[in-house]
Amino acid sequence: AFALAGDWFRTGMSTPALVRRTGSVWEWHIKRTQSGGNGDLTFRYGDAHMTPVAGDWDGNGYWTPGVVANENNSRRWYLKNTLAGGESDVDFLFGGKDYIPVTGDWDDNGTTTPGVVSKDNGAWKWELRNDNSAGGVNHTLRYGNANTWPVTGDWNGDGTWTPAVVDDTDGPRHWYLKNDLDPTDGNSDLDFTYGSHGTYPIPGNWNGTTTATEPGIIQNFENRVWRWHLKNTVTGGVADKYFDYGNDAPYPYPF
């Protein structure tokens, strides 16, 4: 199962989504609020061997689903512009086979576009594109050790999404955030501790009063229930909100 977060209903605030395997397809369970209980909107989209992603692909303010498949030696992206099943609205090739897909608004134009992350001599190599189409890479940088967890967000609220990595080498989760796409600067701009070993990072715009992306984590709690711990600021410390939503192990990627 996957856990995702997005502004599905154009409220200015991220809410959870669970993506669960149902037979051979993914079933999406979208929440309108940051709360437990059942999903408010459910639909099926994408074959279950594909990787679910989410973003505002057409720049209309609503986040919608996507899936990324391996096709020969490439990644094919299938993007939907509505919260519904059926055929994709856009599909294209971008990235190498088995690269980790990431998404973000890399050029501050209001549209979420693709990126891929791959291992390069012990580091993460980020390759980002500014359009939802096949073509070349617009931004390339090496950032973060390849034993960390790559995530993305608009950490300073300037409209441009940038990389981050999350590490847990000594137990707690250490977040290292970068506020630009400068390929010559491999240093983080902000770092803090949030979460413990065994938790999974899931950033989102949790407070809705700024455009910045704040940290969140998911913990496998009692009876394999997912407990979401959300922050309202781009800092470590104690969660500002928590709730239980989902179960099983989130994310397919090993840390």
Side-chain angles (χ1 to χ4, degrees), residues 170-215:
D170 61 354
R173 291 293 197 197
H174 295 274
W175 296 63
Y176 299 91
L177 312 183
K178 188 170 169 59
N179 286 333
D180 60 68
L181 299 174
D182 183 351
T184 66
D185 178 13
N187 297 320
S188 63
D189 294 293
L190 179 64
D191 66 90
F192 52 83
T193 300
Y194 185 62
S196 59
H197 180 73
T199 61
Y200 300 83
I202 184 160
N205 184 354
W206 303 119
N207 69 12
T209 60
T210 73
T211 58
T213 305
E214 295 95 19

Short mmCIF file of all heavy atoms in Angstrom, two decimals, residues 170-215:
data_model
loop_
_atom_site.label_atom_id
_atom_site.label_comp_id
_atom_site.label_asym_id
_atom_site.label_seq_id
_atom_site.Cartn_x
_atom_site.Cartn_y
_atom_site.Cartn_z
N ASP A 170 21.26 7.39 13.26
CA ASP A 170 21.45 7.18 14.70
C ASP A 170 20.12 7.09 15.44
O ASP A 170 20.03 7.38 16.62
CB ASP A 170 22.31 8.29 15.31
CG ASP A 170 21.71 9.68 15.16
OD1 ASP A 170 20.66 9.79 14.48
OD2 ASP A 170 22.27 10.64 15.71
N GLY A 171 19.06 6.69 14.73
CA GLY A 171 17.77 6.48 15.38
C GLY A 171 16.72 7.47 14.95
O GLY A 171 15.78 7.10 14.24
N PRO A 172 16.82 8.76 15.33
CA PRO A 172 15.82 9.72 14.91
C PRO A 172 15.89 9.99 13.41
O PRO A 172 16.92 9.75 12.78
CB PRO A 172 16.19 10.99 15.70
CG PRO A 172 17.07 10.53 16.80
CD PRO A 172 17.79 9.34 16.28
N ARG A 173 14.81 10.49 12.86
CA ARG A 173 14.78 10.90 11.47
C ARG A 173 15.37 12.31 11.34
O ARG A 173 14.84 13.26 11.93
CB ARG A 173 13.35 10.90 10.93
CG ARG A 173 12.72 9.52 10.78
CD ARG A 173 13.38 8.70 9.71
NE ARG A 173 12.55 7.58 9.29
CZ ARG A 173 13.01 6.55 8.63
NH1 ARG A 173 14.29 6.46 8.32
NH2 ARG A 173 12.20 5.56 8.27
N HIS A 174 16.42 12.44 10.56
CA HIS A 174 17.04 13.75 10.29
C HIS A 174 16.61 14.22 8.91
O HIS A 174 16.80 13.51 7.92
CB HIS A 174 18.56 13.66 10.37
CG HIS A 174 19.09 13.33 11.73
ND1 HIS A 174 19.34 14.28 12.69
CD2 HIS A 174 19.39 12.14 12.29
CE1 HIS A 174 19.79 13.70 13.78
NE2 HIS A 174 19.83 12.40 13.57
N TRP A 175 16.02 15.39 8.85
CA TRP A 175 15.58 16.00 7.59
C TRP A 175 16.62 17.03 7.14
O TRP A 175 17.02 17.89 7.93
CB TRP A 175 14.23 16.69 7.78
CG TRP A 175 13.10 15.76 8.12
CD1 TRP A 175 12.98 14.98 9.24
CD2 TRP A 175 11.91 15.54 7.35
NE1 TRP A 175 11.80 14.29 9.22
CE2 TRP A 175 11.13 14.60 8.08
CE3 TRP A 175 11.44 16.04 6.15
CZ2 TRP A 175 9.89 14.17 7.61
CZ3 TRP A 175 10.20 15.60 5.69
CH2 TRP A 175 9.44 14.69 6.41
N TYR A 176 17.03 16.94 5.87
CA TYR A 176 17.98 17.89 5.29
C TYR A 176 17.32 18.50 4.05
O TYR A 176 17.14 17.83 3.03
CB TYR A 176 19.28 17.19 4.91
CG TYR A 176 20.00 16.55 6.08
CD1 TYR A 176 19.76 15.24 6.44
CD2 TYR A 176 20.92 17.28 6.84
CE1 TYR A 176 20.41 14.66 7.52
CE2 TYR A 176 21.58 16.71 7.92
CZ TYR A 176 21.31 15.40 8.25
OH TYR A 176 21.96 14.81 9.32
N LEU A 177 16.94 19.75 4.17
CA LEU A 177 16.15 20.42 3.13
C LEU A 177 17.03 21.36 2.30
O LEU A 177 17.88 22.07 2.83
CB LEU A 177 15.02 21.24 3.77
CG LEU A 177 14.18 20.53 4.83
CD1 LEU A 177 13.07 21.45 5.30
CD2 LEU A 177 13.61 19.22 4.31
N LYS A 178 16.75 21.38 1.00
CA LYS A 178 17.47 22.27 0.08
C LYS A 178 16.45 23.21 -0.55
O LYS A 178 15.37 22.77 -0.96
CB LYS A 178 18.17 21.43 -0.98
CG LYS A 178 19.11 22.20 -1.90
CD LYS A 178 19.92 21.22 -2.74
CE LYS A 178 20.65 21.93 -3.85
NZ LYS A 178 21.57 22.96 -3.33
N ASN A 179 16.78 24.51 -0.62
CA ASN A 179 15.83 25.51 -1.10
C ASN A 179 16.10 25.98 -2.52
O ASN A 179 15.47 26.94 -2.98
CB ASN A 179 15.83 26.73 -0.17
CG ASN A 179 15.12 26.44 1.15
OD1 ASN A 179 14.23 25.58 1.21
ND2 ASN A 179 15.53 27.13 2.20
N ASP A 180 17.01 25.33 -3.24
CA ASP A 180 17.27 25.71 -4.62
C ASP A 180 17.66 24.48 -5.41
O ASP A 180 17.86 23.39 -4.85
CB ASP A 180 18.36 26.78 -4.71
CG ASP A 180 19.67 26.31 -4.12
OD1 ASP A 180 20.30 25.41 -4.70
OD2 ASP A 180 20.09 26.83 -3.06
N LEU A 181 17.78 24.64 -6.71
CA LEU A 181 18.16 23.56 -7.61
C LEU A 181 19.55 23.77 -8.17
O LEU A 181 19.89 23.30 -9.26
CB LEU A 181 17.14 23.43 -8.74
CG LEU A 181 15.71 23.11 -8.31
CD1 LEU A 181 14.76 23.15 -9.50
CD2 LEU A 181 15.64 21.75 -7.62
N ASP A 182 20.39 24.47 -7.42
CA ASP A 182 21.76 24.76 -7.84
C ASP A 182 22.57 23.47 -7.88
O ASP A 182 22.78 22.84 -6.84
CB ASP A 182 22.39 25.75 -6.86
CG ASP A 182 23.79 26.18 -7.28
OD1 ASP A 182 24.35 25.59 -8.23
OD2 ASP A 182 24.33 27.10 -6.65
N PRO A 183 23.06 23.05 -9.06
CA PRO A 183 23.79 21.79 -9.13
C PRO A 183 25.19 21.86 -8.52
O PRO A 183 25.82 20.82 -8.33
CB PRO A 183 23.86 21.52 -10.63
CG PRO A 183 23.79 22.87 -11.26
CD PRO A 183 22.89 23.68 -10.38
N THR A 184 25.67 23.07 -8.24
CA THR A 184 27.03 23.21 -7.69
C THR A 184 27.04 23.28 -6.17
O THR A 184 28.11 23.25 -5.56
CB THR A 184 27.71 24.48 -8.24
OG1 THR A 184 27.02 25.65 -7.77
CG2 THR A 184 27.69 24.48 -9.76
N ASP A 185 25.86 23.37 -5.55
CA ASP A 185 25.77 23.50 -4.10
C ASP A 185 25.08 22.26 -3.53
O ASP A 185 23.88 22.10 -3.64
CB ASP A 185 24.98 24.77 -3.73
CG ASP A 185 24.81 24.92 -2.23
OD1 ASP A 185 25.49 24.21 -1.46
OD2 ASP A 185 23.98 25.75 -1.81
N GLY A 186 25.87 21.40 -2.90
CA GLY A 186 25.32 20.17 -2.36
C GLY A 186 24.95 20.24 -0.90
O GLY A 186 24.68 19.21 -0.28
N ASN A 187 24.96 21.45 -0.32
CA ASN A 187 24.67 21.59 1.11
C ASN A 187 23.18 21.81 1.36
O ASN A 187 22.47 22.39 0.53
CB ASN A 187 25.46 22.77 1.68
CG ASN A 187 26.95 22.56 1.59
OD1 ASN A 187 27.44 21.46 1.82
ND2 ASN A 187 27.68 23.61 1.24
N SER A 188 22.72 21.38 2.52
CA SER A 188 21.33 21.65 2.91
C SER A 188 21.21 23.08 3.40
O SER A 188 22.16 23.68 3.90
CB SER A 188 20.90 20.68 4.01
OG SER A 188 21.66 20.88 5.18
N ASP A 189 20.02 23.65 3.26
CA ASP A 189 19.72 24.99 3.77
C ASP A 189 19.08 24.96 5.15
O ASP A 189 19.09 25.96 5.86
CB ASP A 189 18.80 25.73 2.79
CG ASP A 189 19.49 25.99 1.47
OD1 ASP A 189 20.45 26.78 1.44
OD2 ASP A 189 19.07 25.39 0.46
N LEU A 190 18.49 23.82 5.50
CA LEU A 190 17.83 23.68 6.80
C LEU A 190 17.84 22.21 7.16
O LEU A 190 17.61 21.34 6.31
CB LEU A 190 16.38 24.19 6.72
CG LEU A 190 15.53 24.08 7.98
CD1 LEU A 190 16.09 24.96 9.09
CD2 LEU A 190 14.08 24.45 7.68
N ASP A 191 18.15 21.92 8.43
CA ASP A 191 18.05 20.54 8.88
C ASP A 191 17.49 20.50 10.29
O ASP A 191 17.68 21.43 11.08
CB ASP A 191 19.41 19.83 8.81
CG ASP A 191 20.43 20.38 9.76
OD1 ASP A 191 20.51 19.89 10.91
OD2 ASP A 191 21.17 21.31 9.38
N PHE A 192 16.78 19.42 10.59
CA PHE A 192 16.17 19.24 11.91
C PHE A 192 15.84 17.77 12.07
O PHE A 192 15.92 16.98 11.12
CB PHE A 192 14.91 20.09 12.07
CG PHE A 192 13.91 19.94 10.96
CD1 PHE A 192 12.99 18.89 10.96
CD2 PHE A 192 13.88 20.84 9.91
CE1 PHE A 192 12.07 18.75 9.95
CE2 PHE A 192 12.96 20.70 8.88
CZ PHE A 192 12.06 19.66 8.91
N THR A 193 15.47 17.39 13.28
CA THR A 193 15.09 16.02 13.59
C THR A 193 13.58 15.93 13.78
O THR A 193 13.01 16.70 14.55
CB THR A 193 15.81 15.52 14.86
OG1 THR A 193 17.22 15.57 14.66
CG2 THR A 193 15.40 14.11 15.20
N TYR A 194 12.96 15.03 13.05
CA TYR A 194 11.52 14.81 13.22
C TYR A 194 11.19 13.37 12.86
O TYR A 194 11.40 12.94 11.73
CB TYR A 194 10.70 15.77 12.37
CG TYR A 194 9.22 15.65 12.62
CD1 TYR A 194 8.69 15.93 13.86
CD2 TYR A 194 8.35 15.21 11.62
CE1 TYR A 194 7.34 15.80 14.13
CE2 TYR A 194 6.99 15.08 11.87
CZ TYR A 194 6.50 15.37 13.13
OH TYR A 194 5.16 15.23 13.39
N GLY A 195 10.69 12.62 13.81
CA GLY A 195 10.37 11.22 13.60
C GLY A 195 11.44 10.31 14.17
O GLY A 195 12.54 10.74 14.48
N SER A 196 11.11 9.05 14.27
CA SER A 196 12.02 8.06 14.84
C SER A 196 12.25 6.94 13.83
O SER A 196 11.58 6.86 12.79
CB SER A 196 11.42 7.49 16.14
OG SER A 196 10.17 6.89 15.87
N HIS A 197 13.21 6.10 14.15
CA HIS A 197 13.49 4.95 13.29
C HIS A 197 12.22 4.11 13.13
O HIS A 197 11.50 3.84 14.08
CB HIS A 197 14.60 4.10 13.91
CG HIS A 197 14.96 2.91 13.08
ND1 HIS A 197 15.66 3.02 11.91
CD2 HIS A 197 14.68 1.59 13.24
CE1 HIS A 197 15.82 1.81 11.39
NE2 HIS A 197 15.24 0.93 12.18
N GLY A 198 11.95 3.70 11.89
CA GLY A 198 10.75 2.92 11.62
C GLY A 198 9.56 3.74 11.18
O GLY A 198 8.54 3.18 10.80
N THR A 199 9.66 5.08 11.23
CA THR A 199 8.61 5.93 10.68
C THR A 199 8.94 6.26 9.23
O THR A 199 10.07 6.13 8.79
CB THR A 199 8.45 7.22 11.49
OG1 THR A 199 9.69 7.96 11.47
CG2 THR A 199 8.08 6.91 12.95
N TYR A 200 7.94 6.73 8.50
CA TYR A 200 8.08 7.00 7.08
C TYR A 200 7.76 8.48 6.81
O TYR A 200 6.72 8.97 7.25
CB TYR A 200 7.13 6.12 6.27
CG TYR A 200 7.37 4.65 6.46
CD1 TYR A 200 6.82 3.97 7.55
CD2 TYR A 200 8.15 3.93 5.56
CE1 TYR A 200 7.04 2.62 7.74
CE2 TYR A 200 8.37 2.57 5.74
CZ TYR A 200 7.82 1.92 6.82
OH TYR A 200 8.04 0.58 7.01
N PRO A 201 8.63 9.20 6.11
CA PRO A 201 8.38 10.62 5.86
C PRO A 201 7.29 10.83 4.82
O PRO A 201 7.25 10.15 3.80
CB PRO A 201 9.73 11.13 5.35
CG PRO A 201 10.38 9.93 4.75
CD PRO A 201 9.92 8.74 5.53
N ILE A 202 6.40 11.78 5.09
CA ILE A 202 5.37 12.17 4.13
C ILE A 202 5.11 13.66 4.27
O ILE A 202 4.32 14.09 5.10
CB ILE A 202 4.10 11.32 4.28
CG1 ILE A 202 3.07 11.69 3.19
CG2 ILE A 202 3.51 11.41 5.68
CD1 ILE A 202 2.02 10.66 2.94
N PRO A 203 5.80 14.49 3.48
CA PRO A 203 5.59 15.94 3.56
C PRO A 203 4.24 16.35 2.97
O PRO A 203 3.65 15.64 2.16
CB PRO A 203 6.74 16.51 2.72
CG PRO A 203 7.67 15.36 2.47
CD PRO A 203 6.84 14.13 2.53
N GLY A 204 3.77 17.53 3.37
CA GLY A 204 2.55 18.10 2.81
C GLY A 204 2.37 19.52 3.31
O GLY A 204 3.06 19.97 4.22
N ASN A 205 1.43 20.23 2.71
CA ASN A 205 1.07 21.56 3.21
C ASN A 205 0.00 21.35 4.27
O ASN A 205 -1.20 21.47 4.01
CB ASN A 205 0.57 22.44 2.07
CG ASN A 205 0.28 23.85 2.52
OD1 ASN A 205 0.35 24.17 3.71
ND2 ASN A 205 -0.06 24.71 1.58
N TRP A 206 0.44 21.06 5.48
CA TRP A 206 -0.48 20.60 6.51
C TRP A 206 -1.24 21.73 7.19
O TRP A 206 -2.33 21.50 7.72
CB TRP A 206 0.27 19.78 7.55
CG TRP A 206 1.00 18.61 6.98
CD1 TRP A 206 2.35 18.38 7.03
CD2 TRP A 206 0.45 17.49 6.28
NE1 TRP A 206 2.67 17.20 6.39
CE2 TRP A 206 1.51 16.63 5.92
CE3 TRP A 206 -0.85 17.14 5.90
CZ2 TRP A 206 1.32 15.45 5.22
CZ3 TRP A 206 -1.05 15.96 5.19
CH2 TRP A 206 0.03 15.13 4.87
N ASN A 207 -0.70 22.94 7.25
CA ASN A 207 -1.43 23.99 7.99
C ASN A 207 -2.30 24.86 7.09
O ASN A 207 -3.22 25.52 7.58
CB ASN A 207 -0.48 24.84 8.83
CG ASN A 207 0.44 25.73 8.00
OD1 ASN A 207 0.25 25.90 6.80
ND2 ASN A 207 1.44 26.31 8.66
N GLY A 208 -2.03 24.91 5.79
CA GLY A 208 -2.90 25.62 4.87
C GLY A 208 -2.84 27.13 4.93
O GLY A 208 -3.48 27.81 4.13
N THR A 209 -2.08 27.71 5.88
CA THR A 209 -2.03 29.17 5.99
C THR A 209 -0.84 29.75 5.25
O THR A 209 -0.78 30.96 5.03
CB THR A 209 -1.96 29.60 7.47
OG1 THR A 209 -0.79 29.04 8.08
CG2 THR A 209 -3.20 29.12 8.21
N THR A 210 0.12 28.93 4.88
CA THR A 210 1.24 29.35 4.04
C THR A 210 1.33 28.39 2.86
O THR A 210 0.64 27.37 2.81
CB THR A 210 2.58 29.34 4.81
OG1 THR A 210 2.99 27.97 5.03
CG2 THR A 210 2.43 30.05 6.15
N THR A 211 2.20 28.68 1.92
CA THR A 211 2.39 27.79 0.78
C THR A 211 3.53 26.81 1.01
O THR A 211 3.82 25.97 0.15
CB THR A 211 2.68 28.59 -0.49
OG1 THR A 211 3.85 29.40 -0.29
CG2 THR A 211 1.50 29.48 -0.85
N ALA A 212 4.17 26.87 2.15
CA ALA A 212 5.31 26.00 2.42
C ALA A 212 4.88 24.56 2.66
O ALA A 212 3.76 24.30 3.13
CB ALA A 212 6.10 26.51 3.62
N THR A 213 5.77 23.65 2.35
CA THR A 213 5.57 22.22 2.63
C THR A 213 6.17 21.90 3.99
O THR A 213 7.33 22.21 4.25
CB THR A 213 6.25 21.37 1.56
OG1 THR A 213 5.78 21.76 0.26
CG2 THR A 213 5.97 19.89 1.77
N GLU A 214 5.37 21.28 4.85
CA GLU A 214 5.83 20.94 6.20
C GLU A 214 6.08 19.44 6.31
O GLU A 214 5.51 18.65 5.55
CB GLU A 214 4.80 21.36 7.26
CG GLU A 214 4.59 22.87 7.36
CD GLU A 214 3.42 23.36 6.55
OE1 GLU A 214 2.55 22.54 6.19
OE2 GLU A 214 3.37 24.56 6.25
N PRO A 215 6.87 19.02 7.29
CA PRO A 215 7.14 17.59 7.46
C PRO A 215 5.97 16.85 8.09
O PRO A 215 5.18 17.40 8.85
CB PRO A 215 8.36 17.56 8.38
CG PRO A 215 8.29 18.84 9.15
CD PRO A 215 7.68 19.84 8.22
#
